Amino acid sequence: MFLIALPAELASQPQTSPNSRSVKEYNRSEMPTIHTTRPSEPKTDPHLQAAGERVKAAAEELERLGIADKSGKRVRTDLPSDMREGADRDFGG
């Protein structure tokens, strides 16, 4: 068994485990606060803008073909003959 002599100032301090944090207060002179600028506004995303343009073009195409109206609702709601109730279907199987 080994005995180690500690200085009086260390011997009077409470022993803490190595995993516990120190209770020392934050000292601004030792570690000053760093002032940074605020993050700037995000830049516009060119991919998002291009996607919006493609969606508008697709909506205009559906309207031009008579599939959808200006509000985006389908113009024709009837089903093709092979999808109707009671239709004789042949899926080639």
Side-chain angles (χ1 to χ4, degrees):
M1 179 180 207
F2 295 99
L3 295 175
I4 301 172
L6 294 174
E9 59 195 36
L10 291 177
S12 65
Q13 293 179 355
Q15 298 295 322
T16 59
S17 69
N19 295 333
S20 67
R21 292 187 173 185
S22 172
V23 238
K24 183 178 177 183
E25 280 192 38
Y26 177 72
N27 187 348
R28 291 185 191 276
S29 63
E30 290 179 17
M31 182 63 70
T33 304
I34 299 172
H35 296 283
T36 59
T37 59
R38 295 186 72 197
S40 61
E41 292 295 319
K43 295 181 169 72
T44 57
D45 184 5
H47 300 288
L48 184 61
Q49 186 176 8
E53 292 170 3
R54 287 193 305 272
V55 167
K56 286 180 185 176
E60 290 171 359
E61 178 73 9
L62 290 173
E63 188 178 340
R64 185 184 67 78
L65 293 173
I67 297 172
D69 60 6
K70 286 190 181 270
S71 63
K73 302 284 184 191
R74 285 182 29 191
V75 174
R76 293 184 60 181
T77 57
D78 59 331
L79 294 173
S81 60
D82 63 335
M83 293 180 69
R84 293 186 186 139
E85 190 71 33
D88 185 27
R89 299 177 197 117
D90 181 19
F91 295 109

